[in-house]
Amino acid sequence: MSAATLAGSLPTAAFAETSTGNGRLIPQGKVGIQLYSVRDKVRDLGFRQVFEELSRIGYQEVEFAGYTSPAEPGITVEQLRGLLDDNGLRAAGSHRSLNDFRTNLQRELDHAEILGMPHVGTAQAPSNINTVAAYQAAAAEFNQWGEAASARGVKLYQHNHAGEFAFATDQPDARLYDVFLAETDPDHVFLEMDIYWAYVGQHRYPGFEPADYVAVHPHRYPLFHAKDGKANEANPNGYDIVEFGTGDIPFDEFYRKIGAKSAHHSMWEQDNAPSTQPNPPGSFGAAERSYQAIANLRG
């Protein structure tokens, strides 16, 4: 299927609105946190204290943004697994670099296996070259990694920012995200939609609805980033990143439209939490307030 055909196939009508038990739009056990949001605490306190606090707040899943901390020099992946287990937490995924996969894919899959992690991915764009050919080449590379990951029982994923929704410089009618989606093997390559950045992409490169991608291809989106944004016309992105529940991203509409929510893990992330929140409790405070706001989403 061509990128243009795929883009044209996305529906514009709303899908059936559903919710989980007790009206929850996100199952309680599927609310997680991308640890980048509390990177200051990982740096200063270490994983043990961070996991203890996240467990107290109510999170049950974490997504790693690295496996080291200056506060716990020499900590091993095996020890991280022990800390997760001690605090009733599960590792849902991890952000690694493209170079990690290129140079030592099996080591990354070993780490996923040790951590009991069903997904491992990257937050880097498939390519820094915004052409159809470059994204096709990137898709071929992801297909190879994804097949190797599948053989180990792990799902490989790519996490978007706004740039993936731009149009190709060599084919102005081809959206890069559509090229990647069409060219990657649906059995071996998956996607983590960062909902905030998808809406930024919609603002900067109009012509799509973020939820439509998921509704058409629900099995390809095992993970989301639940990140909120406040509308700001002065910001070229259209939004400022804010705590979950204090912005304008239409999460209730998004989650109702995608259906089958029990299959998806929603990871709270706030890129600027350490720098914008007062200390104490800083990013822990943002994490707790945002957890409550996510848990309170009702259909």
Side-chain angles (χ1 to χ4, degrees):
M1 181 182 294
S2 70
T5 300
L6 176 65
S9 70
L10 291 173
T12 57
F15 291 83
E17 298 185 355
T18 61
S19 62
T20 60
N22 300 318
R24 288 182 182 273
L25 287 173
I26 304 174
Q28 188 173 9
K30 297 294 181 73
V31 179
I33 178 172
Q34 163 52 251
L35 293 174
Y36 184 74
S37 306
V38 291
R39 59 193 178 277
D40 59 326
K41 300 300 190 291
V42 173
R43 179 194 66 220
D44 298 338
L45 303 177
F47 287 101
R48 179 181 299 276
Q49 291 189 52
V50 167
F51 289 169
E52 289 173 353
E53 178 62 9
L54 296 179
S55 180
R56 183 200 66 78
I57 289 171
Y59 288 102
Q60 295 184 3
E61 298 187 326
V62 302
E63 183 181 33
F64 282 93
Y67 303 132
T68 61
S69 166
E72 294 167 322
I75 193 168
T76 66
V77 175
E78 289 82 0
Q79 289 171 325
L80 286 174
R81 174 61 185 269
L83 292 176
L84 289 169
D85 292 344
D86 290 345
N87 289 282
L89 296 171
R90 299 182 299 270
S94 181
H95 283 186
R96 309 300 292 160
S97 74
L98 294 176
N99 198 48
D100 287 326
F101 296 131
R102 290 186 178 117
T103 61
N104 215 328
L105 177 60
Q106 292 303 322
R107 181 191 63 189
E108 294 302 325
L109 298 176
D110 287 342
H111 290 169
E113 183 177 287
I114 292 166
L115 291 166
M117 198 160 60
H119 316 96
V120 65
T122 183
Q124 290 182 257
S127 174
N128 292 325
I129 302 172
N130 289 348
T131 64
V132 169
Y135 263 64
Q136 288 173 331
E141 193 171 37
F142 270 81
N143 286 338
Q144 293 179 346
W145 299 337
E147 188 170 357
S150 294
R152 298 281 299 271
V154 178
K155 291 182 177 180
L156 175 79
Y157 64 92
Q158 193 272 339
H159 164 285
N160 66 275
H161 289 84
E164 290 91 325
F165 295 100
F167 292 94
T169 56
D170 57 339
Q171 294 186 35
D173 62 339
R175 194 181 297 275
L176 295 169
Y177 194 80
D178 295 346
V179 174
F180 188 72
L181 184 63
E183 295 287 336
T184 47
D185 188 330
D187 292 330
H188 300 303
V189 180
F190 301 87
L191 300 117
E192 175 180 57
M193 179 172 283
D194 185 302
I195 301 170
Y196 167 85
W197 285 115
Y199 276 93
V200 172
Q202 181 192 59
H203 172 80
R204 292 174 56 183
Y205 314 106
F208 71 96
E209 286 293 334
D212 289 347
Y213 282 105
V214 185
V216 174
H217 308 281
H219 72 287
R220 299 205 68 182
Y221 291 87
L223 299 160
F224 295 124
H225 270 194
K227 178 189 304 173
D228 210 347
K230 186 73 173 177
N232 178 5
E233 293 182 1
N235 187 331
N237 287 333
Y239 301 90
D240 297 325
I241 297 173
V242 296
E243 286 185 18
F244 194 95
T246 66
D248 301 307
I249 303 295
F251 287 101
D252 53 351
E253 176 185 344
F254 178 91
Y255 280 105
R256 287 198 304 268
K257 287 179 71 174
I258 65 172
K261 282 157 287 301
S262 62
H264 307 293
H265 304 255
S266 289
M267 319 305 294
W268 170 70
E269 185 184 43
Q270 186 179 334
D271 298 8
N272 58 5
S275 60
T276 62
Q277 302 302 321
N279 285 296
S283 57
F284 275 159
E288 183 158 16
R289 290 185 293 270
S290 294
Y291 174 84
Q292 293 300 327
I294 292 173
N296 288 337
L297 278 180
R298 296 291 192 274

